Amino acid sequence: MDMQVSFLDRLFDAGLLIETGVDGLYGRSGQFEDVIAAFERLIDRVGGGDGAEAMRFPPGMNREFFETSGYMKSFPQLAGTVHSFCGSELDHMSLLKCMEVGDDWTAGQEATDIVLTPAACYPLYPTVARRGKISAKGALYDLQSYCFRHEPSKDPARQQLFRMREYVCMGTQQHVTDFRQSWMDRGVEMMKSVGLDVTIDIANDPFFGRAGKMMANNQRDQNLKFELLIPITSTANPTACMSFNYHQDAFGTKWGLNLEDGSVAHTACVGFGLERIALALFHTHGLDVKAWPQEVRATLWG
Amino acid sequence: MNETIRELLGRVGGLPVAVNEIADDADLYAAGLSSFASVQLMLGIEEAFDLEFPDSLLNRKSFASIQAIEQTLTQIVKTQAAA
């Protein structure tokens, strides 16, 4: 824990992250953003030739789609919903009164149609489903979004609002599992090229409660999730900087994603935790980018 | 036991076929039992039989068939009796 606080403090002191008073909610300096931009260009160089269709959604999604996604079944503790004041002038007066005396003024806030995006690919599935059948050759998408997860922490690698870059593949089981494998190989090579020491391990999502324990065991038993791990705040518990997920036909069935032959599409996604990768670079090579090894700088900035 | 399991399976399993058409040794996942439905089945069984699955048995194998569920439950009851 101390090590986590000290790395966070060093990042604040260096001005790379900017304190807001809320754990896991930080501003980023221009330098920090430049590292993320450079790493995203590296992702583009590696994955760009695959011809993915790029889509960018804001960090909020349609609440109806969020409900259909089943996120609340698995991760109710992580979700963030957007609420607003929808009352009358009289309600406004009592709201201001509450704020003035320090009472809870949020009780009257009402849910809007927007939920904070929990993973960059969530708005994609209903979007693709609306388009109709997926080509027999499969489909590939490129997404990036700020994502929200309610898990306040002093570990700078566990932020509440962070960016996730993703490639999502839809097609036959063979097609999407090949896609996932190819990105596991590419991920290791990419991290090596920027001087990061990585391991890949089987993983599970942080499902809620005892029922979640079973979901997690099922996920592991079926090799559905792998993570690329890099030591950031702990060597014993390295941080997941990429994840490689095979959803089987779960999203295909849920959203009605069908291939041209009528079969349900299988899906897989590969995600890059952009802040975590930047933090791994700063942790490994130091907080002064100009002092990073020449070959790492060359890979990132040419 | 078999009857209670079948009744629960019919209620929360979300299977596309009637439960009485499923053999005791039939693969429930192949029959359409989703991961989430298997979790609901687990919670339903715990309530009906007033027991708790240990973490080591919270997995797909324990719920692979009606027979597997019966075996898992027998094992839990035996362990609890011994404790």
Side-chain angles (χ1 to χ4, degrees):
Chain A
M1 193 59 178
D2 282 341
M3 195 180 164
Q4 289 171 7
V5 173
S6 89
F7 185 48
L8 182 60
D9 283 340
R10 284 170 56 217
L11 291 161
F12 286 154
D13 290 345
L16 288 164
L17 290 184
I18 303 157
E19 214 170 346
T20 68
V22 176
D23 288 341
L25 180 71
Y26 309 122
R28 287 97 166 109
S29 73
Q31 180 65 84
F32 193 92
E33 289 301 286
D34 191 37
V35 169
I36 287 193
F39 194 85
E40 282 213 81
R41 288 194 297 272
L42 175 61
I43 298 173
D44 292 337
R45 289 202 296 277
V46 174
D50 299 344
E53 176 184 347
M55 286 189 214
R56 294 293 180 264
F57 291 93
M61 66 179 287
N62 184 332
R63 176 155 63 98
E64 218 178 288
F65 293 156
F66 173 82
E67 288 163 3
T68 306
S69 78
Y71 193 80
M72 291 305 277
K73 286 181 183 171
S74 303
F75 315 105
Q77 79 283 21
L78 299 179
T81 51
V82 178
H83 286 61
S84 283
F85 172 75
C86 303
S88 65
E89 284 182 42
L90 203 62
D91 298 328
H92 183 215
M93 284 304 123
S94 48
L95 176 133
L96 292 181
K97 184 90 190 156
C98 279
M99 291 183 93
E100 204 179 302
V101 298
D103 279 352
D104 176 22
W105 60 273
T106 60
Q109 296 284 100
E110 285 179 30
T112 66
D113 292 334
I114 297 174
V115 171
L116 296 176
T117 305
C121 61
Y122 267 59
L124 175 72
Y125 304 103
T127 304
V128 173
R130 270 203 307 260
R131 291 180 175 178
K133 293 212 164 132
I134 297 165
S135 155
K137 287 184 290 186
L140 185 63
Y141 304 93
D142 165 355
L143 298 124
Q144 195 255 53
S145 172
Y146 258 100
C147 300
F148 176 83
R149 291 186 189 171
H150 181 240
E151 42 183 358
S153 164
K154 294 221 183 281
D155 177 356
R158 187 167 295 286
Q159 298 188 16
Q160 298 199 67
L161 274 157
F162 58 94
R163 271 159 296 180
M164 190 188 291
R165 174 78 180 265
E166 277 194 74
Y167 284 109
V168 179
C169 184
M170 303 179 182
T172 61
Q173 172 173 4
Q174 188 66 45
H175 182 76
V176 308
T177 50
D178 285 352
F179 155 86
R180 182 173 76 153
Q181 184 57 51
S182 78
W183 271 106
M184 279 162 66
D185 300 338
R186 284 169 166 184
V188 171
E189 283 308 310
M190 285 172 76
M191 297 306 172
K192 257 193 215 160
S193 76
V194 290
L196 295 176
D197 190 14
V198 308
T199 48
I200 285 199
D201 204 358
I202 194 159
N204 60 266
D205 286 311
F207 296 106
F208 183 73
R210 279 195 70 244
K213 181 81 191 167
M214 183 158 150
M215 306 272 277
N217 286 342
N218 290 348
Q219 200 177 25
R220 282 178 173 266
D221 287 349
Q222 297 177 89
N223 294 336
L224 297 181
K225 185 180 190 77
F226 289 90
E227 288 176 341
L228 180 147
L229 305 161
I230 310 178
I232 301 180
T233 45
S234 156
T235 327
N237 295 304
T239 300
C241 293
M242 286 184 74
S243 73
F244 312 89
N245 309 287
Y246 171 40
H247 316 127
Q248 300 170 305
D249 60 357
F251 286 165
T253 305
K254 184 169 299 183
W255 293 108
L257 301 167
N258 295 314
L259 303 178
E260 275 169 347
D261 67 4
S263 63
V264 177
H266 284 236
T267 60
C269 68
V270 49
F272 295 84
L274 296 175
E275 278 76 6
R276 287 181 168 184
I277 292 168
L279 290 168
L281 287 164
F282 283 113
H283 184 259
T284 306
H285 303 310
L287 300 188
D288 179 7
V289 172
K290 288 190 207 76
W292 286 6
Q294 190 44 48
E295 59 275 18
V296 174
R297 290 180 55 81
T299 304
L300 288 173
W301 288 284
Chain B
M1 187 186 274
N2 185 292
E3 219 166 276
T4 313
I5 295 169
R6 285 179 174 274
E7 191 267 321
L8 282 165
L9 189 60
R11 192 141 50 88
V12 302
L15 302 179
V17 289
V19 175
N20 57 19
E21 285 172 34
I22 294 174
D24 280 347
D25 61 351
D27 183 335
L28 293 179
Y29 299 107
L33 185 73
S34 72
S35 177
F36 186 68
S38 71
V39 169
Q40 286 185 305
L41 185 60
M42 181 269 285
L43 294 172
I45 288 172
E46 285 195 343
E47 201 187 323
F49 293 96
D50 191 26
L51 48 77
E52 196 168 295
F53 284 85
D55 282 1
S56 59
L57 292 176
L58 286 178
N59 55 48
R60 281 173 72 78
K61 233 168 68 189
S62 304
F63 298 86
S65 65
I66 292 170
Q67 203 171 59
I69 298 171
E70 283 184 297
Q71 282 165 1
T72 306
L73 288 180
T74 309
Q75 191 186 331
I76 295 172
V77 172
K78 247 190 228 161
T79 317
Q80 283 182 347

